[in-house]
Amino acid sequence: MHELGLGVTGNNPNHGTARNPHALDRYTGGSSSGPASIVSSGLCPAAIGTDGGGSVRIPSSLCGIVGLKTTYGRTDMTGVVCDGGTVEVVSPLAASVEDAMLVYSAIAGSSPSDKISLRPSPLSLPTLSSSDNLNILQSVKLGKYSEWFHDVSNTEISTKCEDALQLLCSTFGSQIEEIVLPELEEMRTAHIVSIGSESLFPLNPYCLEGRRSDFTLDTRTSLALFGSFSASDYVACQRLRRRIMYYFMEAFKKVDIIVTPTTGMTSPKIPPSALKVGESDYDVSGYLMRFVQPGNLLGLPAISIPIGHDKDGLPIGLQLIGRPWAEASLLRAAFALEELCMKFRNRPSGIFFNLLTTS
């Protein structure tokens, strides 16, 4: 994984950088890099990761698998390093939507305190079948903020995602509605300050013991940035969070699901020097995190589904964002998209193990 989960490429010169099975000279994405790599390469059908800033959805998108980010409070965070934060959840990465749902159903269960404070809706799982989808998805409205949707490094990404959505609409009768989501830049700032402050708190004892020099330069840079945030910065960002939640909940009065590409770029190449000394590339991080932060800052459920590849054969993911506790709706729509887009997907060309094939 990316060291301490403080990055989204998966670069880790201290313990080894996981490789993308679709192209071994490219990143898996992070921070749940290893889980994405082993699922994509066929070594197991599902794995567990944590998602505080896209750390399940980003590697899932870059490695061509399914990544589900649950509603904040849906799963018990006890035992996780940042279990006292407000943006991170434990969630599954899987080879298929059905596998993701199976793991989700096994790990779901709020902590006693979250049951009291958040009052989660009862766990609900959809029946994943084409006939049920035909009846239900025709009433589903998909919200698309075009200016945000097309904010990608390569238009091939947004075009492929649009094609997948049009295929869903023409097959099941779903409708795409144009929406507006204000203050996205402010939202990104609020997220960085929130996750940075909450990540630094449990790591401070290690830094105070003089172990900071054990970390990579990338990690030390992040820790220094997070340490510059003040208490008043954190409080201001919580006010922003409340306002941005209002904007999203207003959008959910008109639509059922908000749709975006999962990432603003496909898997970036690993610079050879980065394997030894690491790297900090905030342009790359910005594109990888472009669409994932609302799920974390606002606690909303989201899922990344592979819908095809770019001209270099690298996977492209489509993200669905839902209302709080609406995982069942996301899983149903994701399953329909998965079936429709299966013909556009390829097995990894870098490395793949078919464990079901007997020798």
Side-chain angles (χ1 to χ4, degrees):
M1 62 180 290
H2 204 110
E3 189 172 62
L4 300 181
L6 301 183
V8 292
T9 61
N11 177 264
N12 191 333
N14 276 348
H15 299 283
T17 298
R19 306 304 181 92
N20 192 322
H22 288 269
L24 300 181
D25 61 341
R26 293 181 181 265
Y27 283 122
T28 57
S31 62
S32 302
S33 316
S37 186
I38 60 172
V39 172
S40 178
S41 64
L43 288 173
C44 62
I48 297 291
T50 60
D51 192 316
S55 290
V56 162
R57 289 162 289 157
I58 290 170
S60 294
S61 177
L62 268 52
C63 291
I65 60 175
V66 176
L68 171 65
K69 186 258 166 202
T70 59
T71 305
Y72 178 79
R74 177 65 86 183
T75 52
D76 191 343
M77 291 289 291
T78 302
V80 176
V81 172
C82 297
D83 61 358
T86 62
V87 297
E88 190 168 11
V89 298
V90 175
S91 290
L93 304 87
S96 69
V97 172
E98 185 175 12
D99 288 338
M101 185 179 75
L102 289 171
V103 177
Y104 162 63
S105 66
I107 67 174
S110 304
S111 67
S113 59
D114 283 343
K115 286 181 181 178
I116 295 171
S117 60
L118 299 178
R119 293 177 292 175
S121 300
L123 179 66
S124 175
L125 299 175
T127 300
L128 299 182
S129 72
S130 299
S131 57
D132 279 357
N133 282 343
L134 190 60
N135 295 326
I136 296 173
L137 290 179
Q138 60 184 346
S139 63
V140 170
K141 292 184 178 180
L142 306 170
K144 176 188 169 192
Y145 181 22
S146 292
E147 182 179 335
W148 187 31
F149 194 98
H150 293 285
D151 188 11
V152 293
S153 64
N154 186 335
T155 56
E156 193 175 9
I157 295 172
S158 54
T159 299
K160 289 285 180 71
C161 288
E162 282 186 319
D163 291 345
L165 291 172
Q166 290 297 336
L167 188 57
L168 179 73
C169 293
S170 62
T171 304
F172 294 102
S174 306
Q175 300 175 39
I176 298 175
E177 302 280 345
E178 184 67 24
I179 59 173
V180 175
L181 297 167
E183 301 186 10
L184 291 177
E185 283 301 324
E186 289 82 352
M187 175 204 67
R188 294 179 182 119
T189 300
H191 171 262
I192 289 296
V193 173
S194 297
I195 191 174
S197 302
E198 294 168 7
S199 298
L200 185 63
F201 175 72
L203 297 174
N204 251 337
Y206 298 96
C207 298
L208 295 175
E209 288 174 4
R211 297 181 58 183
R212 186 183 293 265
S213 61
D214 294 342
F215 301 142
T216 64
L217 293 173
D218 174 39
T219 299
R220 280 182 261 172
T221 301
S222 295
L223 291 174
L225 172 64
F226 299 161
S228 71
F229 301 147
S230 67
S232 59
D233 292 333
Y234 185 81
V235 171
C237 287
Q238 306 323 301
R239 291 172 176 167
L240 271 173
R241 172 187 268 178
R242 184 177 181 85
R243 190 163 76 217
I244 294 163
M245 175 62 101
Y246 169 79
Y247 297 145
F248 272 74
M249 296 312 292
E250 284 297 297
F252 280 126
K253 290 179 180 179
K254 303 175 183 177
V255 300
D256 304 294
I257 295 170
I258 295 172
V259 294
T260 72
T262 306
T263 60
M265 67 185 302
T266 51
S267 178
K269 281 194 173 183
I270 306 173
S273 61
L275 296 173
K276 295 182 179 180
V277 298
E279 69 165 338
S280 295
D281 190 327
Y282 290 110
D283 285 336
V284 167
S285 297
Y287 274 116
L288 292 179
M289 298 180 72
R290 182 80 74 219
F291 305 104
V292 297
Q293 291 160 313
N296 299 109
L297 183 67
L298 308 181
L300 302 174
I303 190 169
S304 176
I305 320 102
I307 49 90
H309 302 261
D310 67 7
K311 65 183 187 321
D312 295 319
L314 301 172
I316 295 171
L318 174 68
Q319 178 181 227
L320 310 179
I321 305 171
R323 299 184 181 96
W325 318 115
E327 286 89 350
S329 297
L330 296 185
L331 288 165
R332 185 186 303 281
F335 178 74
L337 281 161
E338 180 181 60
E339 284 197 318
L340 292 172
C341 296
M342 191 65 71
K343 58 190 173 185
F344 305 125
R345 294 171 55 189
N346 303 316
R347 277 185 175 175
S349 58
I351 188 168
F352 183 80
F353 302 94
N354 189 343
L355 300 185
L356 299 180
T357 301
T358 56
S359 56

